[in-house]
Amino acid sequence: MTDTTRRTRRTPAPHERKLDAERSRRLLLDAALDEFSAKGYAGARVQDIADRAGVNKQLINYYFGGKEGLHAALLQRWREREATFNDPSVPFEEVAARYLRHVLDDPRGTRLSAWRGLTGNLDEPSPGDREDLSDLRRRQAEGELAGDLDPAAVMLAVMAMVAAPVTMPLAVRRVFDLDPGSPEFRERYTEQLRRILRHLAGDASRSTT
């Protein structure tokens, strides 16, 4: 092959390298969520995550500093996503319905959370949890939650109700006689969740509906 026919490899432009890095990070995060939700943090292997993403496993160290950093990046991505639908200005029942919609659309995060709890791999309380509890106390002061209820207990109960279709699918089938992934269950359970939360407001809410 002569010099005139030989092709030289073009060096990627800076914006192309940036796009490639963003794509690799996104692929790794999605693959990690798949692996962590299926096997738990301890059971997920770095090589399996890289294979699922279709990239070299060295990129996990390069972009995230290892498996722990990848897990932390997933939690941060969830907090950023959560901020898009956890709106203090909308009714509490709508906030809960948004969480439920997200869980039913993508149950992987809930499965990962269940793994962390069952295996004792517990995180420090996140600022988001404290903000959610503070928001519930505000809602209680404004009459959206009955005064004799403990906001912390309400928050835990709602979290359990939202996670139940993913963490207790067999119970869903027995109690509702419906597939937890079916549109029929989604519609019925979402409406009942809203009704339950309205009742938690007590007489103040019922008198206005």
Side-chain angles (χ1 to χ4, degrees), residues 13 22 58 65 98 118 149 154 158 161 175 185 197 204:
E22 291 174 349
Q58 297 302 322
R98 291 179 181 183
L118 292 172
L149 295 176
V154 172
V158 172
M161 285 191 289
V175 175
F185 172 76
L197 295 183

Side-chain angles (χ1 to χ4, degrees), residues 63-80:
Y63 290 125
F64 302 101
K67 182 178 174 181
E68 184 176 351
L70 186 55
H71 183 262
L74 275 177
L75 295 179
Q76 179 59 36
R77 188 172 75 165
W78 156 246
R79 295 183 188 111
E80 293 170 357

Side-chain angles (χ1 to χ4, degrees), residues 39-43 112-122:
K39 303 173 184 176
Y41 177 82
L112 174 56
S113 179
W115 270 109
R116 291 204 308 269
L118 292 172
T119 58
N121 184 18
L122 303 177

Side-chain angles (χ1 to χ4, degrees), residues 50-173:
D51 289 346
R52 185 184 285 270
V55 302
N56 191 300
K57 74 174 183 179
Q58 297 302 322
L59 289 180
I60 294 177
N61 284 327
Y62 182 76
Y63 290 125
F64 302 101
K67 182 178 174 181
E68 184 176 351
L70 186 55
H71 183 262
L74 275 177
L75 295 179
Q76 179 59 36
R77 188 172 75 165
W78 156 246
R79 295 183 188 111
E80 293 170 357
R81 186 171 297 172
E82 180 186 27
T84 66
F85 54 82
N86 185 10
D87 187 345
S89 68
V90 303
F92 184 42
E93 65 176 86
E94 175 59 25
V95 173
R98 291 179 181 183
Y99 273 97
L100 178 60
R101 188 179 307 120
H102 173 80
V103 167
L104 293 175
D105 287 343
D106 186 355
R108 294 175 299 171
T110 300
R111 291 193 183 111
L112 174 56
S113 179
W115 270 109
R116 291 204 308 269
L118 292 172
T119 58
N121 184 18
L122 303 177
D123 303 312
E124 292 295 321
S126 73
D129 291 337
R130 289 188 286 269
E131 291 171 6
D132 290 345
L133 186 56
S134 176
D135 181 60
L136 267 185
R137 293 190 177 111
R138 175 189 62 79
R139 291 176 185 276
Q140 186 177 50
E142 295 174 355
E144 199 175 349
L145 189 65
D148 62 343
L149 295 176
D150 181 346
V154 172
M155 180 174 165
L156 185 61
V158 172
M159 290 169 67
M161 285 191 289
V162 167
V166 174
T167 58
M168 304 174 65
L170 297 179
V172 169
R173 291 178 184 274

